[in-house]
Amino acid sequence: MRGRLGVGVDTGGTFTKIVAVTPTGRAVRERQIPTEAEAGPGPFVRRVAAAVGELERELGRRARGIGLGLAGDVDSARGRLRFSPNLRRFSGYPLRDALARATGRKVLVENDANMAAWGGYVVELKRRARNVVAVSMGTGIGGGLVLDGRLYHGSTGSAAELGHTRVDDGGERCNCGARGCVEAYAGSYGIVRTALRLIRGRSSLIKGLCPDLRRLEPRLIAEAAAQGDAAAREVWEETGRRLGLAITNAVYLLNPDVVLIVGGVSRAGRLILDPVERVLRRQPFRTPFSHVQVRIARTPNLGAVGAGLLALESLRAERR
Amino acid sequence: MRGRLGVGVDTGGTFTKIVAVTPTGRAVRERQIPTEAEAGPGPFVRRVAAAVGELERELGRRARGIGLGLAGDVDSARGRLRFSPNLRRFSGYPLRDALARATGRKVLVENDANMAAWGGYVVELKRRARNVVAVSMGTGIGGGLVLDGRLYHGSTGSAAELGHTRVDDGGERCNCGARGCVEAYAGSYGIVRTALRLIRGRSSLIKGLCPDLRRLEPRLIAEAAAQGDAAAREVWEETGRRLGLAITNAVYLLNPDVVLIVGGVSRAGRLILDPVERVLRRQPFRTPFSHVQVRIARTPNLGAVGAGLLALESLRAERR
């Protein structure tokens, strides 16, 4: 008995990661294909199916189920994407059914941050925490909730949109059109905007590391901060303070064991964690705040790993 | 077979309501006793037990279980109150075990807003909504969550503290010590503070209805608004706008079917509902916001009714 395998697919705007995972979340094989979203969902489904087939041939094993994660408003009950700014042509297409037909496998479609939350719950927390709030930091801020040990979807599958909770009514403009969402400060474009404001008319290492400021990205601001640049440190301080407020609100509502920060921008590590923790420590309600732990996830490709794990989980639940 | 009965106890700072309820939430008998919190928890438990006994003699029937609701940080797993500003002497006392001994019945101890959430879920929504956010409006703002058809407690039983989610970082002072909590605007003391600010140096019916402004309360501000007073209408507009923002954040996180507003101050009705709905309608994410309904609960004593229902529910769950 060599154990079951699940396949997880994490669909990004540019690249799509595909991994085969064991029930404990070990990635045994992975590949990456271009998403080519502009070609539409039909060709995308065919290329994913082909890549899954190749992965299985290399492994000499067949996977049980496939989890497909996508950034956006996912209708997981019907297996389609309602809307996504980066995958516009995929909206309304029956992704689940098409991929199931193309592969002959059970397919589950889910928001990518939900997938990452499930991956974190199983791999990083070993299912030992009952309630987990995952915060994904990338261009945007996403979220995923594991409540009482199960992925929480909400009533229309739109839960955990932590990025659009408001931290400053009437504040900075968010990509969603509203003002003052935490994403407008802690999404990568918000972090860059803060940096451009803070370095204006001031000497900063950021300018040396990135002579063309139109190409500035959080990675470079983290590098400048690590080298002791004052402006760069202020950027992370402000980012963490805003993110800390959104996390504070989530802790008041959900009283989780763990807040797990995932996604590319979370590699800034303590630069984010320190100011977030300072905000949480200041809260007068001690019980939920002294209980909760804030952590940065360390597993690579957590979204894809979680997608594969969730596919296995859903098959297991069906057999019960 | 005359059906089962549960007893619900809603412990306020001044009075305690006790009701006997059927499994559908019909209150068949009720009484009220003074809480006399200053006499301590031992005498309180004895008086509740005596009142339950009288209620049962009047009905000629014996209740199955007792639900005890208290405002504050309740450790429902251990059946005690961790902390409550209005019931300080009750902290740490084994309320559940003492009341169980005094009555010979199963007892369940729970936060009062959680009890009201459960009552609203069963009585007002007939369990037809899967996910419900209850917001209780009184001196403070409390909350309760029914998620996937079950009361959600969080990891330390402290979930659903919606009143202390922040709507204005660094804003008005809240009773909890922090600044900018929604309670600081929409709790009764916050509403009164807004009114005192808005009527300063201005003619307003509020002053006529309440010549001694130290005694001002939301009921009088609602009366003035109903009579068309401009300042009073502004008070409710601001209250609803702040509350609407906190509810917006809860909808982004939890994607509920219904937000149910309960508690004395909610009798202001459309004065609160209209500005709350305006905030929700403005949100760019349409799926969760066009799905959710905001309602004001109509059942009297919803906290006590919910406590009785939850006691029955927990006994039913045990028998499974």
Side-chain angles (χ1 to χ4, degrees):
Chain A
M1 164 76 183
R2 302 165 68 199
R4 293 167 298 136
L5 279 188
V7 167
V9 182
D10 191 5
T11 315
T14 312
F15 290 106
T16 293
K17 286 256 169 70
I18 303 172
V19 303
V21 296
T22 68
T24 56
R26 196 164 55 84
V28 291
R29 198 102 193 174
E30 57 188 78
R31 43 175 62 221
Q32 181 172 294
I33 61 172
T35 301
E36 292 172 8
E38 65 291 343
F44 170 74
V45 165
R46 284 193 292 278
R47 282 180 307 104
V48 170
V52 171
E54 284 168 41
L55 211 66
E56 292 181 324
R57 270 191 298 281
E58 288 167 13
L59 286 164
R61 296 166 67 183
R62 191 176 155 85
R64 300 288 179 100
I66 300 173
L68 174 65
L70 304 121
D73 184 5
V74 174
D75 184 347
S76 57
R78 301 180 63 205
R80 31 184 99 185
L81 189 63
R82 288 198 193 91
F83 176 73
S84 166
N86 294 316
L87 304 165
R88 286 179 195 272
R89 289 200 55 192
F90 289 21
S91 299
Y93 186 82
L95 285 163
R96 179 186 60 201
D97 298 346
L99 187 57
R101 251 196 321 272
T103 59
R105 241 63 61 85
K106 272 271 181 193
V107 175
L108 181 100
V109 177
E110 187 66 69
N111 173 277
D112 60 344
N114 286 356
M115 293 296 200
W118 188 256
Y121 173 69
V122 176
V123 180
E124 305 243 329
L125 306 171
K126 317 277 182 219
R127 301 180 192 246
R128 276 183 217 126
R130 252 173 55 229
N131 302 302
V132 179
V133 173
V135 181
S136 79
M137 299 187 75
T139 307
I141 300 286
L145 301 176
V146 176
L147 303 181
D148 290 332
R150 295 177 311 174
L151 191 65
Y152 177 76
H153 287 93
S155 295
T156 63
S158 323
E161 278 294 353
L162 186 126
H164 302 284
T165 61
R166 244 34 81 73
V167 293
D168 185 15
D169 192 23
E172 293 283 357
R173 179 71 73 181
C174 177
N175 275 355
C176 77
R179 284 187 176 278
C181 302
V182 68
E183 176 175 309
Y185 302 94
S188 64
Y189 66 92
I191 298 172
V192 167
R193 178 163 54 195
T194 303
L196 295 176
R197 174 167 53 78
L198 288 173
I199 63 177
R200 202 175 297 144
R202 187 172 167 192
S203 89
S204 162
L205 253 181
I206 293 173
K207 293 174 183 173
L209 290 170
C210 186
D212 179 0
L213 287 174
R214 287 168 306 184
R215 293 172 176 237
L216 186 57
E217 48 180 284
R219 188 178 51 80
L220 295 167
I221 307 169
E223 203 176 313
Q227 294 182 41
D229 182 66
R233 294 197 151 266
E234 284 170 40
V235 173
W236 291 108
E237 191 60 40
E238 179 161 340
T239 301
R241 186 170 62 78
R242 302 287 194 175
L243 186 64
L245 199 60
I247 290 174
T248 292
N249 286 344
V251 170
Y252 271 124
L253 278 180
L254 293 170
N255 182 204
D257 301 291
V258 176
V259 173
L260 190 65
I261 305 181
V262 308
V265 177
S266 72
R267 277 185 285 240
R270 291 235 68 92
L271 290 169
I272 293 168
L273 220 42
D274 287 344
V276 164
E277 285 176 347
R278 271 196 292 277
V279 176
L280 268 61
R281 271 200 300 271
R282 270 206 319 264
Q283 302 310 314
F285 278 57
R286 291 320 308 153
T287 312
F289 289 94
S290 49
H291 178 79
V292 70
Q293 277 184 47
V294 186
R295 293 204 209 175
I296 291 183
R298 279 173 296 198
T299 310
N301 301 326
L302 201 50
V305 167
L309 285 170
L310 204 59
L312 287 174
E313 183 77 11
S314 105
L315 289 168
R316 201 173 73 167
E318 274 178 15
R319 280 201 312 274
R320 268 180 211 141
Chain B
M1 164 77 183
R2 300 166 69 200
R4 293 166 299 137
L5 279 188
V7 167
V9 182
D10 191 5
T11 315
T14 312
F15 291 107
T16 292
K17 287 255 169 70
I18 303 172
V19 304
V21 296
T22 68
T24 57
R26 196 165 54 84
V28 292
R29 198 101 192 174
E30 57 188 80
R31 41 176 61 222
Q32 182 171 294
I33 61 172
T35 301
E36 290 173 10
E38 66 291 345
F44 171 74
V45 163
R46 283 192 292 277
R47 283 182 305 105
V48 169
V52 171
E54 286 168 40
L55 211 67
E56 292 182 324
R57 272 191 296 282
E58 288 167 14
L59 285 166
R61 296 164 67 182
R62 191 177 154 85
R64 301 288 179 99
I66 300 174
L68 175 64
L70 304 122
D73 184 6
V74 174
D75 184 347
S76 57
R78 301 181 63 206
R80 32 184 100 186
L81 189 63
R82 287 198 194 91
F83 175 73
S84 165
N86 295 316
L87 304 165
R88 284 176 196 273
R89 291 199 54 193
F90 289 21
S91 300
Y93 186 83
L95 286 163
R96 179 186 59 202
D97 297 346
L99 187 57
R101 252 194 321 273
T103 57
R105 240 63 61 86
K106 272 274 182 190
V107 176
L108 179 101
V109 177
E110 187 67 67
N111 173 277
D112 61 343
N114 285 355
M115 293 295 200
W118 188 256
Y121 173 68
V122 176
V123 180
E124 305 242 329
L125 305 171
K126 315 275 182 222
R127 300 181 193 245
R128 275 183 216 125
R130 254 172 55 228
N131 302 301
V132 179
V133 173
V135 182
S136 79
M137 297 187 75
T139 308
I141 300 286
L145 301 176
V146 176
L147 303 181
D148 289 334
R150 294 176 312 174
L151 192 65
Y152 177 75
H153 288 93
S155 296
T156 65
S158 323
E161 279 294 354
L162 186 125
H164 302 285
T165 62
R166 245 35 81 72
V167 293
D168 185 15
D169 194 21
E172 294 283 357
R173 180 71 73 180
C174 177
N175 276 355
C176 77
R179 285 187 175 278
C181 303
V182 67
E183 176 174 309
Y185 302 94
S188 64
Y189 66 92
I191 299 173
V192 166
R193 177 163 56 194
T194 302
L196 295 176
R197 174 167 54 78
L198 287 174
I199 64 177
R200 201 175 298 144
R202 186 172 167 191
S203 90
S204 163
L205 253 179
I206 293 173
K207 294 175 182 172
L209 290 170
C210 187
D212 179 0
L213 286 175
R214 287 168 306 183
R215 293 170 178 240
L216 186 57
E217 48 180 282
R219 188 178 52 79
L220 296 168
I221 307 169
E223 204 176 311
Q227 293 182 40
D229 182 65
R233 294 197 151 265
E234 282 170 41
V235 174
W236 290 108
E237 189 61 39
E238 179 159 342
T239 302
R241 187 171 62 79
R242 301 287 194 176
L243 186 64
L245 199 60
I247 290 175
T248 292
N249 286 345
V251 170
Y252 271 124
L253 278 181
L254 293 169
N255 182 205
D257 301 292
V258 176
V259 173
L260 190 66
I261 304 181
V262 308
V265 178
S266 72
R267 277 184 285 239
R270 291 236 66 94
L271 290 169
I272 293 167
L273 219 42
D274 286 345
V276 164
E277 285 177 347
R278 270 196 292 278
V279 176
L280 267 60
R281 270 200 300 270
R282 271 207 319 264
Q283 301 311 313
F285 276 57
R286 290 320 308 155
T287 311
F289 289 95
S290 49
H291 178 78
V292 71
Q293 278 182 49
V294 186
R295 292 204 209 174
I296 291 185
R298 281 172 294 198
T299 311
N301 302 325
L302 202 50
V305 168
L309 286 170
L310 205 59
L312 287 175
E313 182 77 11
S314 106
L315 289 168
R316 200 172 73 165
E318 273 178 17
R319 282 200 311 275
R320 269 181 209 141

